[in-house]
Amino acid sequence: MNTQVFQAERCRFPDDAWGDRFKENERSSTPHLPQDWRTLLTLPDPPWQRTASECRYLVGLKSPLRRDRRAEIERQGRGYDIEATSTVQAVVGSVEAPDRPGAKKAVNALFDNMLAPIYHFKRRFKRGRPGMCCSEPLEPMFPHGDRDHPAHPAYPSGHSTQAHALAFFYARLFPQLTDALMAAAADIAWNREIAGLHYPSDSLAGKLLASQLVDMLFENATFAALAEAAAAEF
């Protein structure tokens, strides 16, 4: 593939490359989002014209960052939700403490509303992963066949969306921690770039989607009550 000119259709994620365990995520429940969330949420098209420059950036990240951050990246790559966003959660403290059942309930509710929007946009844009679209050697940390291989499109980054959603959630409750929360979320998103799994624009799209989702969730009375109860426990 030409490293200077990337055509959108040449960077599409193949339909037959979807992993079975990801195919139904778009149909996950969204108990605290409005029914018309699909029309209310917006993301810009992936910046196809910047793919070449983003690929060169990713190639430059591989070493020594992958070696130095490998254990952290592998831990975050094993899933979504609390496990993958633990460094954001750590800014405010654990939700596993016996005296914080409301906080854990609120965080779980936050994540319960994430999957469908994330995969709605992944299905819409079908952006191929860097290993598919970059002509430069860019073997991802979790290649096909690896248990943590993300067999779904790149845009937006799910890890970035969830990490930033958790950060925006807690920033509503504890504004004085906003900078630390956002830094922790950005670090999780960056790790996915270091791993060769996402372009920087995937990370930014995840942050944009997270901001919209948290705004919507706080407009829901039930979710807002969960958040208020969580804040009281910290």
Side-chain angles (χ1 to χ4, degrees), residues 67-148:
R67 181 191 65 231
D68 296 343
R69 287 177 169 244
R70 188 171 191 89
E72 182 177 72
I73 292 171
E74 288 179 343
R75 184 176 66 253
Q76 293 170 351
R78 293 193 182 106
Y80 291 105
D81 302 346
I82 293 176
E83 180 182 15
T85 58
S86 61
T87 51
V88 177
Q89 184 64 54
V91 175
V92 297
S94 175
V95 293
E96 300 295 341
D99 59 343
R100 292 177 182 166
K104 186 170 184 178
K105 186 176 181 179
V107 170
N108 283 334
L110 175 75
F111 290 134
D112 283 345
N113 291 274
M114 293 289 112
L115 275 186
I118 290 170
Y119 282 84
H120 166 72
F121 285 109
K122 284 179 179 288
R123 180 79 66 179
R124 174 187 293 183
F125 294 116
K126 297 182 180 181
R127 190 183 199 185
R129 296 278 175 171
M132 298 176 176
C133 297
C134 296
S135 59
E136 298 90 341
L138 190 64
E139 182 69 18
M141 274 186 60
F142 308 120
H144 184 74
D146 188 286
R147 64 171 184 169
D148 300 320

Side-chain angles (χ1 to χ4, degrees), residues 173-188:
L173 308 185
F174 312 111
Q176 70 277 15
L177 297 178
T178 297
D179 289 348
L181 289 163
M182 292 301 162
D187 197 64
I188 290 173

Side-chain angles (χ1 to χ4, degrees), residues 9-232:
E9 63 270 20
R10 298 186 69 183
C11 287
R12 298 290 185 182
F13 191 92
D15 290 338
D16 61 1
W18 277 81
D20 289 340
R21 65 191 178 105
F22 301 111
K23 290 179 179 178
E24 297 303 314
N25 283 348
E26 187 181 352
R27 297 182 177 87
S28 298
S29 63
T30 52
H32 302 103
L33 292 178
Q35 290 187 348
D36 58 345
W37 61 263
R38 289 175 179 82
T39 59
L40 295 174
L41 295 171
T42 61
L43 282 181
D45 288 351
W48 304 107
Q49 73 282 3
R50 294 210 311 268
T51 302
S53 60
E54 289 196 284
C55 286
R56 289 191 290 271
Y57 165 79
L58 294 177
V59 170
L61 285 182
K62 284 197 304 182
S63 180
L65 287 172
R66 279 196 192 180
R67 181 191 65 231
D68 296 343
R69 287 177 169 244
R70 188 171 191 89
E72 182 177 72
I73 292 171
E74 288 179 343
R75 184 176 66 253
Q76 293 170 351
R78 293 193 182 106
Y80 291 105
D81 302 346
I82 293 176
E83 180 182 15
T85 58
S86 61
T87 51
V88 177
Q89 184 64 54
V91 175
V92 297
S94 175
V95 293
E96 300 295 341
D99 59 343
R100 292 177 182 166
K104 186 170 184 178
K105 186 176 181 179
V107 170
N108 283 334
L110 175 75
F111 290 134
D112 283 345
N113 291 274
M114 293 289 112
L115 275 186
I118 290 170
Y119 282 84
H120 166 72
F121 285 109
K122 284 179 179 288
R123 180 79 66 179
R124 174 187 293 183
F125 294 116
K126 297 182 180 181
R127 190 183 199 185
R129 296 278 175 171
M132 298 176 176
C133 297
C134 296
S135 59
E136 298 90 341
L138 190 64
E139 182 69 18
M141 274 186 60
F142 308 120
H144 184 74
D146 188 286
R147 64 171 184 169
D148 300 320
H149 174 66
H152 50 82
Y155 186 93
S157 164
H159 277 73
S160 177
T161 304
Q162 292 196 317
H164 281 101
L166 189 61
F168 284 126
F169 169 76
Y170 279 123
R172 290 282 196 113
L173 308 185
F174 312 111
Q176 70 277 15
L177 297 178
T178 297
D179 289 348
L181 289 163
M182 292 301 162
D187 197 64
I188 290 173
W190 192 41
N191 275 343
R192 301 296 283 178
E193 297 170 25
I194 293 169
L197 298 169
H198 281 292
Y199 311 93
S201 52
D202 297 339
S203 301
L204 291 174
K207 184 178 181 179
L208 176 59
L209 178 57
S211 177
Q212 295 176 68
L213 285 169
V214 171
D215 284 347
M216 276 187 188
L217 288 171
F218 271 89
E219 291 175 0
N220 178 278
T222 301
F223 185 86
L226 291 174
E228 184 178 355

